[in-house]
Amino acid sequence: MLEAAGIGEGEERVYRFLVGMREADAAVIAEQLGLEVAQAHRLLASLHDKGLVGRVAVSPAGGAVRYVPVAPDAALRPLLLRGHEALESARRGVEQLTEEYRAAGRRHDAGQLVEVITGVSVIRQRLRHMAYGAREMRWLCKAGHVAMPAAENDEEWELLARGVRYEAIYERALLEEPGMVDNVARSIRAGEQARATGTLPVRMVIADGSIAICPLMHGGSGGARGSLGEPTAAVVHGSSLLDALIALFESQWAAASPLHVTDSGELADFGGSQRPGANVADDERYLLSLVVAGVADKAIASQLRVSQRTVQRRIQVLMQRAGAATRTQLVWQAARRGWLS
């Protein structure tokens, strides 16, 4: 039972005996457990070295000692902790060796540069495994999920709290889906760097610049892998193809507009006063970021639980402050004045 803590079978018998007796010498232990006295001494010495038993002198003048057990929780917890650390170190070593094995295979077999995985559960598991081992995650988020809706990506907030960097580009149609603005706002408040754009060419996630996952088929499309209605995805390892996907993300990131939120994640004060010439407040920056992203007024109003008329009125206020006659001019002026930076 105590093997996980590095305690052998014979040591465990002696320790359990002492726990019950509370104190005994080597001769008594040997007699009760059917051991040689020398064997009992060896086991007791080992238990003493591991901190499981203590020695008590029978008399100040004599050399004989009796042994007492150390409380199990105090004695075994450090051993179990060291065992856990050793297992964790071994696990990391296995992962490193596995990656080295796969990398060597990819160098000799180009077919291993891209894996094709099939099924919602398989894709979800691979995404989560990739996220928990990463230091940086970069997402292209298109409307219409394949394996994991954004609302179910619960591990993102946990990983953001751990210091994992998240960069995400959201397609306009995705931001207009019910509940998405609140979901994105929560992620931004947790530390995500978010941008928005009109359309994205592909859905994709890249971890640490070393591996990417891209959906291939949404399922139900027929063909050898899609005939059963299960989605498929490509897992792309280090290669020129992965370099191209990273470049695609970076070009989309440069072209997308930043998304900003207030501390509460909502448009905090639609009835605020006009301040000609002043910098925009957080709530106004949030509104501008959604406008620049191309989100429709109706969708903004619905997501933020205000009226469409209120949204339009505040946009007009911003246009007047910027001296813009059209929304296009407002976007240009906002960029020129650094209102979105």
Side-chain angles (χ1 to χ4, degrees):
M1 183 177 116
L2 300 181
E3 290 180 358
I7 309 301
E9 182 181 351
E11 293 171 329
E12 182 175 348
R13 287 185 65 208
V14 172
Y15 181 68
R16 285 180 173 276
F17 176 79
L18 281 172
V19 167
M21 292 293 294
R22 300 305 297 267
E23 185 177 326
D25 60 25
V28 171
I29 293 170
E31 180 182 355
Q32 292 295 320
L33 298 181
L35 303 172
E36 297 291 337
V37 174
Q39 184 182 6
H41 275 295
R42 286 194 300 271
L43 292 171
L44 287 164
S46 178
L47 289 169
H48 182 269
D49 292 340
K50 293 176 180 179
L52 271 74
V53 301
R55 292 177 177 141
V56 178
V58 175
S59 65
V65 297
R66 297 173 71 84
Y67 293 87
V68 295
V70 176
D73 56 345
L76 294 172
R77 186 177 292 114
L79 295 176
L80 289 171
L81 180 60
R82 286 197 293 271
H84 175 75
E85 291 173 347
L87 287 173
E88 181 63 20
S89 176
R91 184 190 64 78
R92 291 194 297 267
V94 169
E95 288 184 351
Q96 181 180 356
L97 285 172
T98 301
E99 182 53 36
E100 291 176 4
Y101 173 82
R102 290 174 175 169
R106 291 193 290 271
R107 287 194 294 270
H108 292 87
D109 181 4
Q112 295 188 36
L113 293 174
V114 178
E115 302 174 53
V116 177
I117 56 178
T118 303
V120 170
S121 61
V122 175
I123 296 173
R124 284 191 180 193
Q125 182 180 16
R126 194 61 176 269
L127 284 170
R128 285 174 169 150
H129 181 269
M130 187 169 73
Y132 277 106
R135 296 179 300 277
E136 178 187 68
M137 299 289 289
R138 309 170 90 182
W139 291 81
L140 293 183
C141 304
K142 283 180 66 67
H145 70 275
V146 172
M148 185 187 298
E152 295 183 11
N153 188 14
D154 297 330
E155 67 268 15
E156 177 180 350
W157 298 302
E158 176 187 346
L159 294 172
L160 282 167
R162 293 185 187 179
V164 177
R165 178 179 174 84
Y166 269 75
E167 294 180 347
I169 306 174
Y170 295 93
E171 194 173 62
R172 180 178 62 198
L174 178 59
L175 290 175
E176 294 180 354
E177 292 181 3
M180 271 306 300
V181 167
D182 288 340
N183 185 274
V184 173
R186 177 182 175 186
S187 297
I188 294 173
R189 290 199 306 274
E192 177 185 283
Q193 301 297 309
R195 297 193 176 190
T197 191
T199 59
L200 288 170
V202 67
R203 178 181 289 101
M204 178 175 67
V205 57
I206 303 171
D208 292 335
S210 62
I211 188 172
I213 295 182
C214 302
L216 295 176
M217 301 176 70
H218 287 254
S221 303
R225 290 187 178 271
S227 58
L228 297 179
E230 288 280 11
T232 61
V235 182
V236 183
H237 299 275
S239 60
S240 296
L241 175 57
L242 179 62
D243 292 341
L245 294 176
I246 294 172
L248 171 64
F249 179 91
E250 291 174 347
S251 66
Q252 292 289 328
W253 182 264
S257 58
L259 287 172
H260 300 275
V261 297
T262 64
D263 291 339
S264 64
E266 299 180 355
L267 301 179
D269 180 16
F270 266 63
S273 60
Q274 299 183 30
R275 300 181 302 281
N279 291 327
V280 291
D282 286 344
D283 60 317
E284 294 168 325
R285 183 177 291 109
Y286 186 23
L287 173 59
L288 272 172
S289 68
L290 294 175
V291 171
V292 172
V295 180
D297 292 355
K298 183 178 180 180
I300 295 175
S302 174
Q303 297 284 353
L304 299 175
R305 297 178 293 278
V306 296
S307 71
Q308 186 173 346
R309 184 181 297 275
T310 302
V311 172
Q312 293 169 343
R313 177 167 55 82
R314 281 303 293 244
I315 292 174
Q316 286 294 325
V317 170
L318 289 169
M319 290 173 61
Q320 291 172 9
R321 191 186 309 169
T326 66
R327 291 197 182 196
T328 300
Q329 292 176 356
L330 172 62
V331 170
W332 186 83
Q333 287 288 347
R336 186 177 70 84
R337 298 172 186 227
W339 285 357
L340 291 173
S341 60

